[in-house]
Amino acid sequence: RTYADWFGETPEGDIVEIVRNHLDAIPRHDILAAGFPCQPFSIAGVSKKNALGRPHGFDDAEQGNLFFSLAAVIEARRPRAFILENVKNLRSHDKGRTWDVIRSTLESMRYAVFATVLDAAAWVP
């Protein structure tokens, strides 16, 4: 709904399926702003998944791998810049290995990675 309000277009489909089958349908763009589910990486989400005996991080097949779909879009469309939003714990999840994979994936595409943890309280109503 937000995208439709801002740009007058309604994106269609699941990004995983679009990347897998119709990556060329994603238009070229200069800036990408995206997020991927935080539950597999957040302190609360990991705790809940552990309590339920469910995988977390990249092992969470439904939510934990969406970063890689975004990386495929970035690699194919080569935006000049991008912002990827997630949670503070992303950098320390799995003893920092999760962040190492994300950072090295983006750097392997020849992007400089700048990571900042922001307190959004001043911007969120």
Side-chain angles (χ1 to χ4, degrees), residues 24-51:
D24 58 327
I26 297 174
R28 297 209 175 271
H29 48 277
D30 291 326
I31 299 172
L32 172 77
F36 48 101
C38 65
Q39 294 89 338
F41 311 105
S42 71
I43 292 170
V46 169
S47 178
K48 180 178 180 180
K49 288 176 184 294
N50 281 337

Side-chain angles (χ1 to χ4, degrees), residues 11 23 35 41 66 74-75 87-88 92 96 98 106 110 116-117 121-122:
L23 186 57
F41 311 105
L66 289 176
I74 291 167
E75 185 170 37
V87 292
K88 179 179 178 179
S92 56
T98 298
L106 298 171
R110 301 180 55 103
T116 302
V117 175

Side-chain angles (χ1 to χ4, degrees), residues 40 49-50 53-57 59-61:
K49 288 176 184 294
N50 281 337
R54 294 184 182 162
H56 58 84
D59 292 331
D60 179 336

Side-chain angles (χ1 to χ4, degrees), residues 6-18:
W6 286 5
F7 301 108
E9 299 175 17
T10 302
E12 294 185 29
D14 178 330
I15 190 66
V16 174
E17 292 300 317
I18 291 170

